[in-house]
Amino acid sequence: MDKERNTCLILITYHKSKNISETIQYGDYFNNPSVMHMYYKNKRQIEETEI
């Protein structure tokens, strides 16, 4: 989280192998070239160290 710029870098793996676990086969998709619909783990908070 970059509080100075008010941004948060988010990295995703969009092209996943077909043989991955069902628990990480999220249904991410692009609404348009600028907007992505993204699934993430439940109950995430920006204060977490993993984020």
Side-chain angles (χ1 to χ4, degrees):
M1 180 77 178
D2 184 339
K3 294 184 184 204
E4 184 178 311
R5 294 184 183 102
N6 198 29
T7 60
C8 178
L9 175 64
I10 299 172
L11 303 173
I12 62 159
T13 303
Y14 189 69
H15 297 286
K16 295 182 180 176
S17 169
K18 294 185 192 247
N19 352 339
I20 62 170
S21 168
E22 286 186 24
T23 60
I24 57 174
Q25 289 182 6
Y26 304 117
D28 304 331
Y29 60 90
F30 286 97
N31 290 333
N32 61 51
S34 303
V35 177
M36 179 178 193
H37 183 92
M38 182 181 90
Y39 291 89
Y40 56 92
K41 294 180 182 179
N42 285 337
K43 300 182 182 177
R44 291 290 186 169
Q45 295 183 7
I46 201 69
E47 295 83 20
E48 292 182 27
T49 57
E50 188 180 39
I51 294 183

